[in-house]
Each structure stands twice: as structure tokens, then as C-alpha cells.
Amino acid sequence: MIRFILVALFVVLFLVCSIPVLIIEYIIGKFNMDVKNRSSLAIVNAAFRVCLFIAGTKVTVIGEENVPTDKPVLYIGNHRSYFDILITYVRVPRPTGYIAKKEMLRYPLLRNWMKYLHCLFLDRDDIKQGLSTIKEGIEKVNSGISICIFPEGTRNKVNDTFLPFHEGSFKIAEKSGCAIIPMSINNTAAIFEDHFPKIKKAHVVIEYGKPVYMSEMTREEKKKIGASMREIIKETYFKNKELV
């Protein structure tokens, strides 16, 4: 329990103590949005690294050279843990927003940082609002911000299984023309979810696949993009199980 307490305490202290920083970041954004984007990225990146250090998480990264650093991309990956966000976020080379459930808006200060980081909030029960969120994601990519989405739509609670990937998740890549970067993530649930409420040391493996461009696909391939990306991630996931 000690790791859970320390992580929770750090998060609360960070959010409270960062109130003046939020104000400063807001002012910076009025004059230079690019500086604000990169400073907010650096601040939250550092906070996440502290959380992972306290949690005792070891991460093996494969294929990071597949991620373009000079242009925005759409990251997609399997989702088993809240720690998926921390582990993937500390690797991003440029400002990146995540698609999050709208319930995250309940939490003050956290929602402020999420908005600063260009996160978008999805109402999974409102199709019209969901389409609006995807449109916002396209606009973010067109403005130079990468987007990360977990196409299963929720945390998968069953180990070594994969929920269907929602096809709508890939509209951001199709309409913006950006690359899709598949992420295969192994063993994050071993940090927290597998023995809630304890946080334990764990070895996580994340592999970035080669960029996929929907502009190079046929119409039929585009229709099956969710299933094909799911198979790529699934194959890599089971390949890397022996590394955990």
C-alpha cells in the first residue's frame, strides 16, 4: 500500500502546488502557444516520470525509431491500465492530446492540465458529440498536435484479450492524412489493476509499430482498418509476452 499512498500523495501535491504554474502557463499561451505547449508537455512529462519511479515501473521500449518527430501522428494502442497513459505520454516527442472519457472533467486542476495538453473529452453515449470530438481531433492534428486514442473505447479488464477496435477512432488519420502509429503495451495492469488498491513493481514492454498511412490503402482496407490494426497490435503483444 505504501507505493499507492506515495503516488496518490504526489499527485495531489503536484495538482495543488501547480496552481500558480497553471496561471503562468495560461499567460504564456496568450503570447506564444507553441512555448506553452512545449512547457506544459515538459512539466507533466516530469510529473509522470516521478509517478513511474515511485511505482517502481521498469519500461522496455521497442521500435521508438518508427515514430516521426517532425509531424503529428495518431497513436493507437490496447488499453488495460490507467498507467498506459503515463507510460506512453513520457515517450511522446511533441505535444500530444489524449481522447479521454468526459467523466474526467469532474476533477478540478486535473482537467485544467488535460486541456492544456490538448486532451479531448468523449461522451461515449452521445454519437453526435462523439463525431464532434473526432472533428476536434482532426483539427488538432492539422494544427501540429498528435493525438492518442485507445480504440477499444474503455479499459479491457481481461488479461491477454482485445476488445473490438472502433472504426470511428481512425477518422482522425483518414481525414488529416497523418500516420497511424500502433502501440502494443504489455503488462501495465500488473502495476495497479491486477491487485487494486496496491501498486507493485512491474516490467512493462511497449512496442511502436511502423507508420501506417490510410491514404495508401484501398477502400476495402479502409473499411477494415480497426480489425487490421487490432491484429497488428495483438500479434506484437503476444510476441513480447516472453519479455515481461
Side-chain angles (χ1 to χ4, degrees), residues 225-237:
I225 182 65
S228 63
M229 290 297 101
R230 180 174 177 267
E231 286 305 308
I232 288 173
I233 289 174
K234 182 178 178 182
E235 180 180 348
T236 307
Y237 173 92

Side-chain angles (χ1 to χ4, degrees), residues 1-236:
M1 281 296 291
I2 187 65
R3 291 184 187 275
F4 174 82
I5 294 170
L6 289 175
V7 170
L9 182 61
F10 173 77
V11 171
V12 172
L13 287 174
F14 170 79
L15 291 174
V16 173
C17 295
S18 69
I19 292 175
V21 181
L22 282 168
I23 297 171
I24 293 170
E25 290 289 282
Y26 174 80
I27 295 171
I28 292 173
K30 289 295 184 180
F31 297 95
N32 192 321
M33 184 57 70
D34 183 61
V35 171
K36 177 191 173 185
N37 286 340
R38 296 191 177 279
S39 58
S40 293
L41 170 66
I43 292 166
V44 176
N45 203 315
F48 281 177
R49 288 182 184 277
V50 172
C51 289
L52 292 172
F53 175 77
I54 296 171
T57 305
K58 177 185 175 183
V59 182
T60 296
V61 182
I62 304 170
E64 198 163 21
E65 69 277 4
N66 290 322
V67 182
T69 59
D70 60 341
K71 52 189 174 183
V73 301
L74 175 69
Y75 298 96
I76 58 109
N78 55 304
H79 191 27
R80 284 273 288 125
S81 171
Y82 290 116
F83 277 85
D84 292 333
I85 298 164
L86 281 69
I87 286 166
T88 56
Y89 194 81
V90 299
R91 313 302 313 184
V92 298
R94 59 187 299 117
T96 301
Y98 281 59
I99 304 289
K101 57 186 180 181
K102 70 168 186 177
E103 286 77 9
M104 298 303 294
L105 289 168
R106 299 172 181 170
Y107 306 108
L109 300 180
L110 177 60
R111 68 181 175 224
N112 296 87
W113 276 113
M114 292 180 73
K115 288 178 180 180
Y116 278 15
L117 298 173
H118 300 279
C119 292
L120 302 174
F121 302 91
L122 179 66
D123 185 346
R124 292 172 290 187
D125 298 321
D126 187 334
I127 295 177
K128 185 177 179 180
Q129 193 275 334
L131 292 173
S132 177
T133 301
I134 296 300
K135 183 179 178 181
E136 286 184 73
I138 296 168
E139 293 172 353
K140 292 286 187 186
V141 171
N142 287 336
S143 69
I145 306 296
S146 292
I147 294 292
C148 181
I149 188 169
F150 298 108
E152 290 172 290
T154 187
R155 280 186 303 112
N156 183 359
K157 297 179 175 61
V158 182
N159 196 26
D160 294 341
T161 65
F162 297 81
L163 299 173
F165 281 17
H166 296 290
E167 300 289 338
S169 305
F170 299 89
K171 288 294 182 183
I172 293 173
E174 182 179 10
K175 298 299 184 182
S176 70
C178 74
I180 299 170
I181 303 295
M183 302 184 301
S184 175
I185 308 169
N186 286 70
N187 208 41
T188 45
I191 303 171
F192 180 53
E193 283 78 7
D194 285 349
H195 35 71
F196 175 86
K198 295 181 180 179
I199 289 178
K200 295 185 177 181
K201 287 184 177 182
H203 178 206
V204 172
V205 177
I206 176 170
E207 180 166 347
Y208 297 93
K210 293 183 178 180
V212 176
Y213 294 90
M214 293 189 69
S215 60
E216 299 174 356
M217 295 181 174
T218 65
R219 182 177 296 181
E220 288 303 311
E221 287 173 332
K222 289 179 181 179
K223 289 180 180 179
K224 300 175 182 178
I225 182 65
S228 63
M229 290 297 101
R230 180 174 177 267
E231 286 305 308
I232 288 173
I233 289 174
K234 182 178 178 182
E235 180 180 348
T236 307

